[in-house]
Amino acid sequence: MPTLVMKFGGTSVANLDRIARASKRVAREVANGYNVIVVVSAMSGKTNELVGWVNETSELFDAREYDAVVSSGENVTAGLMALRLQEMDVPARSWQGWQVPVQTTSAHANARIEAIPTENIAAKFADGMRVAVVAGFQGISPEGRITTLGRGGSDTTAVAFAAAFDAERCDIYTDVDGVYTTDPRIASKARKLDRIAFEEMLELASLGAKVLQTRSVELAMRYRVKLRVLSSFEEPSEDAGTLVCAEEDIMESNVVAGVAYSRDEAKMTLISVADRPGIAAAIFGPLAEAGVNVDMIVQNISEEGRTDMTFSCPVDQVRRAQDAMEKAKQAGSINFHDLVADEAVAKISIVGIGMRSHAGVAAKMFATLRDEGINIKVITTSEIKVSVLIDRKYMELAVQALHDAFELEKAD
């Protein structure tokens, strides 16, 4: 029988009624002739509660015990859904990460999947099991300890299972009915996309769109797993949701597929650092070691052997970045006049595979922002993306203006 992977997020399994609703969707696919691997998240809010308990118990907690605690939320959901399916006369069994086993690295709280042997689940399918309800977000380390994959890890779990079992498709059920051209809460004209290329979805996910976790899109792109994002609260149909697929599976697309934003950004500038070979490594090495997620980087023109270096990072990592730079300065590896942090900026990005073959996209973006009186602080580009930093107070205006300028409300 063909295999289908179905993933249900926290809001889709928030209570027993929603678990029952999700189970009916699974039973429908079983009736359609599929063996189904269901990947479940913890009930909505449960992971936050478990993390809170860990933090209250131990400020400097053992990451191995953190994983043991926070992974329990998914175990509860998996067991309850398996019970519900059994009550519906669907042969189902719950699976925790170690039972599969989902083999991961030893990086507790942020492990990466290394392999998913298919033998155990395949044997149960051969014996008559029709649904394997797998606890998402978790696996087992080489040392035999429970690991977790980081926030959003259930998406990654689902795609990894789809790749391992050569599934026909991986359906991600969530509280939105697909991928939109931008956040509908900001732009009322935002349109649901029928299809989006892996590369576009990866950029949107990394730039702030919270529909799919970045690592899950990376995996899907690598193994060519067809992803479908759809709502667990709407009746299923053939054209439901958004299909994330290879570029060649999209006949024609708009130049720009979507506008993404990230509200919680900071711009940091090292003023008057030595312009010499190795200075970038001397700056960004300590930042990486401190766990600072640097994004946009701009170096000014050198003057009398000195230059300014600007970079962006999440606003909650500013203090960490400042400490790393001060320590590097004290150690003598870098010397700078000042470190200036602007914590009131936002990142706005336009994304589209059509940019590869169309000139003038960046110019149109810049002209649109100019016409709205919005000053650009930093610019970075790639083959299918243009990102800018602007004052945060203009974020919503910028998103709406760009959405209108590129006429994203219109279908391809």
Side-chain angles (χ1 to χ4, degrees):
M1 289 184 181
T3 302
L4 185 69
V5 174
M6 303 173 72
K7 183 263 177 179
F8 292 94
T11 53
S12 303
V13 290
N15 52 46
L16 293 179
D17 285 343
R18 290 188 180 177
I19 289 174
R21 180 196 292 250
S23 298
K24 289 179 181 177
R25 288 183 179 271
V26 175
R28 189 179 294 120
E29 297 297 351
V30 170
N32 288 337
Y34 288 102
N35 282 333
V36 181
I37 298 173
V38 178
V39 176
V40 292
S41 298
M43 292 179 172
S44 182
K46 180 55 68 176
T47 300
N48 286 339
E49 182 182 38
L50 294 169
V51 170
W53 288 351
V54 171
N55 288 327
E56 283 184 39
T57 305
S58 173
E59 288 186 11
L60 300 173
F61 54 76
D62 183 330
R64 293 166 295 185
E65 301 307 330
Y66 169 93
D67 278 355
V69 173
V70 300
S71 64
S72 64
E74 281 73 15
N75 297 342
V76 171
T77 311
L80 289 172
M81 181 171 280
L83 286 171
R84 171 53 59 187
L85 287 163
Q86 290 171 10
E87 288 294 307
M88 299 165 64
D89 294 325
V90 177
R93 181 64 63 195
S94 66
W95 295 76
Q96 296 179 17
W98 63 270
Q99 292 173 299
V100 176
V102 179
Q103 298 169 357
T104 74
T105 61
S106 300
H108 287 276
N110 195 31
R112 300 186 79 86
I113 296 173
E114 295 198 315
I116 299 178
T118 59
E119 290 81 3
N120 289 343
I121 288 179
K124 290 296 182 182
F125 277 143
D127 286 343
M129 180 186 74
R130 297 298 307 279
V131 180
V133 188
V134 177
F137 175 64
Q138 61 177 252
I140 186 167
S141 72
E143 296 76 28
R145 299 287 311 186
I146 295 170
T147 56
T148 61
L149 308 180
R151 282 309 179 93
S154 292
D155 285 351
T156 304
T157 303
V159 175
F161 269 88
F165 283 83
D166 195 23
E168 188 171 299
R169 195 179 63 247
C170 179
D171 287 346
I172 306 288
Y173 287 88
T174 181
D175 54 358
V176 296
D177 60 349
V179 180
Y180 277 72
T181 49
T182 195
D183 189 338
R185 295 170 298 181
I186 290 180
S188 59
K189 296 180 183 177
R191 176 177 55 85
K192 183 176 73 69
L193 297 165
D194 294 328
R195 294 188 175 214
I196 187 170
F198 288 126
E199 293 92 335
E200 292 172 325
M201 190 66 244
L202 184 58
E203 291 285 8
L204 290 172
S206 65
L207 293 167
K210 295 179 173 59
V211 178
L212 285 171
Q213 198 245 17
T214 306
R215 278 164 61 188
S216 70
V217 184
E218 289 174 345
L219 264 182
M221 184 164 64
R222 184 185 310 162
Y223 293 103
R224 294 301 175 111
V225 173
K226 286 190 175 180
L227 276 176
R228 189 170 63 155
V229 180
L230 62 171
S231 171
S232 58
F233 305 112
E234 293 187 356
E235 284 303 310
S237 62
E238 285 191 8
D239 61 347
T242 299
L243 185 68
V244 187
C245 55
E247 182 178 343
E248 54 265 28
D249 293 332
I250 302 174
M251 292 294 292
E252 192 72 43
S253 61
N254 285 344
V255 177
V256 174
V259 181
Y261 67 88
S262 178
R263 188 188 309 271
D264 300 320
E265 297 287 322
K267 178 173 77 78
M268 307 195 70
T269 303
L270 283 166
I271 297 176
S272 188
V273 296
D275 187 12
R276 58 173 174 79
I279 189 62
I283 293 170
F284 296 106
L287 289 171
E289 290 171 8
V292 178
N293 184 21
V294 173
D295 181 20
M296 308 169 81
I297 301 172
V298 176
Q299 183 176 350
N300 288 346
I301 296 172
S302 177
E303 186 175 341
E304 296 181 358
R306 313 292 290 183
T307 187
D308 298 340
M309 187 79 77
T310 297
F311 61 90
S312 67
C313 68
V315 72
D316 60 0
Q317 295 179 9
V318 168
R319 303 295 170 263
R320 203 183 304 171
Q322 290 171 328
D323 289 345
M325 291 296 90
E326 287 299 332
K327 288 178 182 176
K329 186 177 184 180
Q330 291 169 12
S333 57
I334 58 172
N335 182 24
F336 55 89
H337 179 266
D338 198 7
L339 175 57
V340 178
D342 182 353
E343 299 183 36
V345 298
K347 179 171 62 181
I348 308 294
S349 307
I350 56 172
V351 174
I353 54 177
M355 290 186 193
R356 291 176 180 152
S357 54
H358 287 77
V361 178
K364 185 173 183 178
M365 179 185 190
F366 303 152
T368 300
L369 296 176
R370 176 204 64 202
D371 293 345
E372 297 294 340
I374 300 172
N375 186 45
I376 298 171
K377 296 174 178 285
V378 178
I379 302 168
T380 59
T381 65
S382 74
E383 193 178 27
I384 65 167
K385 173 195 72 177
V386 182
S387 295
V388 298
L389 284 186
I390 63 172
D391 285 329
R392 189 175 300 148
K393 62 183 178 181
Y394 296 121
M395 186 193 79
E396 293 192 7
L397 174 61
V399 170
Q400 292 168 351
L402 291 170
H403 195 276
D404 289 345
F406 288 100
E407 300 182 319
L408 300 186
E409 72 279 4
K410 296 181 180 179
D412 302 343

